[in-house]
Amino acid sequence: MLEQHETVKVDEPVLDNSSGHGINLRVSNEFKVKRANNRGVGEMFRALRHRNFLLFWSGAFLSNTGTWMQAVAQGWLVLQLSNSPFWLGVDGFMATAPGLVLTLAGGVFADLMDRRKLLIYTQIVAGLSALTLGVLVVTDVVSVWMILCLSFVTGCCMSIAGPSYMALVFDLVGRQDLANAIALNSTQFQLARALGPVFAGIGFKLFNVAGCFFANGLSFAAVVIGLKMVRYENAVKPSSAPERSLKGKGTFTHDLVEGFRYVAGRPTVSMLLLISAVTSLCGAPYISMTPVFARDIFHLGETGLALIMGMAGAGALFGALFLAYLGDFRHKGWFVLGGDLGFALCLIVFSLSRNLTVSLIFLFALGFSIVSSVAVTNTLLQKLVTDEMRGRVMSMFMLSFIGAMPIGNLIAGAASHRFGVQRTLAAGGVIIAVFAITVTLSSRKLREL
């Protein structure tokens, strides 16, 4: 069992935990051998050898598949009811706005509470929300404001659970297989992102829109069952085992402030979070605006929307598999920066293209690029921080990415209504590209990670 302050041998530069300014470039011969053994097709799925992680991974995959089915169906439903990209932006805002407040709270909870139980409770509530929306559609009483309210409820659940979801991976596999586990976790999410829209297209034909909401509601049972079956006897002892109580006076506020101080004292960690925030703010709204491209630009129906959303997911899936194949590779900083720039350029081309084939190709490349950047950022952050701060730093990572989405969605919805969705998304891509190039040229420490 690893102690919380154990010195870690890693192949990338590591920030000195005392100041956050030093760079440790030591590479042990032992680690070089491990890296050689950890690369290849046979080792791509080694984290799944951990029983607990396999249970968690399988349940999360089924649940995420249902979530992406609902994402397609809900976007189409909102567009049909409102006939306006503005309300698509508002729906995206309602789903992600809770992250602005609750994500940081979720990070503190992740360091003080049993992460597994917290995940179970939030997944149950999110599942009930999806089932409620299905009932509203079947009874033909659904309206846009009802969808917005349920999006907000689900957003609250995801915001609270997110930091625990990310930090639990370390509890299930330990430090040695962490990079591979994060890559595989990204793989299941992206596989679900590719398959979910396909199943949604089938569901449209067989069960109408409501069937996608019922399928998503039931899919949450998979992750709940998987988490219930997790046993820690032969796994890494959870660093979340609370030594303090949430009821202690000032505990929550003190831990939250300590988390901010910890990140503020580590410039490279702060820069990774900033890259995530800018990318999400200016780039993530393309997901909410996809129904407009499907219906108004390419003149496709529900199955066409499923194809467009699934293509980005397929690219992201290949990106995640590629990272799993590479294992614990070097030059992670370049992957973060290069993936971010690639995402920006692909977003610009996709936004301005009116040719379906060209758009699908760049959507695939867009998905590949963004997962290369985000998944590697996740790995770097988890390796650069101490165990007792992991939940809070992961909450800030989520806040930087997911917390920026509601603002981006709201701005994109209003701007699309005024200037058109294509120009709006292309402008976001230009901003990301300029920012990525600036950071690449100015941040040597980040390039050397």
Side-chain angles (χ1 to χ4, degrees):
M1 181 175 66
L2 295 172
E3 296 296 327
Q4 288 188 338
H5 299 288
E6 179 181 2
T7 300
V8 186
K9 296 178 181 178
V10 293
D11 60 326
E12 68 273 14
V14 178
L15 294 175
D16 184 271
N17 281 338
S18 60
S19 65
H21 297 282
I23 297 291
N24 177 4
L25 293 171
R26 292 176 300 171
V27 182
S28 67
N29 291 329
E30 175 188 359
F31 195 87
K32 290 180 180 178
V33 174
K34 285 184 178 180
R35 182 176 347 146
N37 293 333
N38 286 344
R39 182 177 297 182
V41 177
E43 292 295 313
M44 283 177 63
F45 305 101
R46 66 182 181 276
L48 294 178
R49 298 168 186 166
H50 297 265
R51 172 187 174 275
N52 286 336
F53 182 70
L54 177 61
L55 290 170
F56 172 72
W57 188 93
S58 303
F61 166 67
L62 293 175
S63 178
N64 284 326
T65 300
T67 297
W68 280 104
M69 288 182 67
Q70 174 158 333
V72 175
Q74 186 165 321
W76 188 260
L77 180 61
V78 171
L79 186 61
Q80 292 297 95
L81 290 174
S82 66
N83 198 35
S84 170
F86 171 75
W87 288 107
L88 285 173
V90 174
D91 185 47
F93 172 81
M94 295 299 290
T96 51
L100 291 170
V101 178
L102 296 180
T103 299
L104 292 177
V108 177
F109 294 155
D111 287 333
L112 289 176
M113 299 174 60
D114 186 324
R115 295 166 183 163
R116 184 172 63 107
K117 291 182 179 179
L118 182 62
L119 284 171
I120 289 174
Y121 297 146
T122 53
Q123 300 310 292
I124 291 174
V125 176
L128 292 175
S129 175
L131 293 175
T132 301
L133 183 53
V135 172
L136 292 174
V137 174
V138 168
T139 55
D140 200 27
V141 298
V142 67
S143 60
V144 173
W145 73 267
M146 297 177 184
I147 299 174
L148 298 180
C149 290
L150 290 172
S151 292
F152 183 80
V153 171
T154 303
C156 289
C157 294
M158 296 303 118
S159 298
I160 295 174
S164 292
Y165 179 92
M166 300 176 74
L168 186 67
V169 174
F170 180 88
D171 296 339
L172 300 180
V173 302
R175 193 180 298 274
Q176 181 176 351
D177 289 330
L178 178 62
N180 182 252
I182 290 175
L184 288 178
N185 215 25
S186 180
T187 298
Q188 62 84 5
F189 180 83
Q190 305 305 340
L191 179 59
R193 184 181 174 187
L195 294 179
V198 174
F199 292 149
I202 297 173
F204 282 144
K205 298 295 184 182
L206 299 179
F207 311 111
N208 296 321
V209 174
C212 296
F213 301 133
F214 287 125
N216 183 37
L218 295 175
S219 73
F220 281 98
V223 69
V224 171
I225 293 173
L227 288 168
K228 291 286 287 184
M229 295 175 65
V230 166
R231 296 291 181 269
Y232 285 120
E233 286 83 356
N234 298 317
V236 178
K237 182 180 179 181
S239 59
S240 60
E243 297 179 0
R244 294 163 295 161
S245 171
L246 276 172
K247 297 179 180 179
K249 184 177 180 180
T251 298
F252 179 88
T253 303
H254 175 268
D255 281 17
L256 189 59
V257 171
E258 284 299 307
F260 278 114
R261 287 177 178 170
Y262 181 84
V263 169
R266 287 153 178 81
T268 304
V269 174
S270 301
M271 182 56 69
L272 287 171
L273 296 178
L274 182 60
I275 292 172
S276 177
V278 172
T279 303
S280 178
L281 179 69
C282 301
Y286 90 89
I287 299 175
S288 298
M289 296 295 118
T290 301
V292 180
F293 281 87
R295 192 189 71 170
D296 299 339
I297 296 175
F298 300 121
H299 307 292
L300 303 173
E302 303 98 320
T303 54
L305 172 60
L307 171 65
I308 292 175
M309 293 190 70
M311 187 58 66
L317 170 62
F318 273 80
L321 288 173
F322 180 63
L323 292 178
Y325 172 78
L326 290 180
D328 209 353
F329 57 92
R330 300 184 69 180
H331 308 302
K332 291 183 176 68
W334 280 108
F335 255 77
V336 172
L337 297 168
D340 201 46
L341 179 59
F343 169 75
L345 297 178
C346 291
L347 178 61
I348 294 171
V349 177
F350 164 72
S351 302
L352 299 178
S353 171
R354 286 185 172 272
N355 182 284
L356 180 60
T357 302
V358 172
S359 295
L360 291 177
I361 291 173
F362 278 90
L363 267 179
F364 182 92
L366 177 153
F368 186 97
S369 299
I370 191 60
V371 79
S372 298
S373 180
V374 173
V376 176
T377 298
N378 186 350
T379 301
L380 286 174
L381 287 173
Q382 295 224 39
K383 284 193 169 186
L384 292 172
V385 303
T386 57
D387 292 347
E388 64 269 18
M389 286 290 178
R390 181 168 287 107
R392 276 161 283 183
V393 174
M394 287 298 98
S395 73
M396 294 179 198
F397 175 50
M398 284 195 62
L399 181 63
S400 68
F401 196 81
I402 297 178
M405 283 186 183
I407 301 173
N409 282 324
L410 204 58
I411 294 174
S416 296
H417 189 72
R418 176 72 181 273
F419 304 107
V421 65
Q422 289 184 289
R423 292 179 180 177
T424 298
L425 294 186
V430 170
I431 294 173
I432 297 172
V434 172
F435 176 78
I437 293 172
T438 301
V439 173
T440 301
L441 296 176
S442 62
S443 181
R444 179 182 62 85
K445 290 181 179 179
L446 189 56
R447 294 196 307 269
E448 292 177 349
L449 279 177

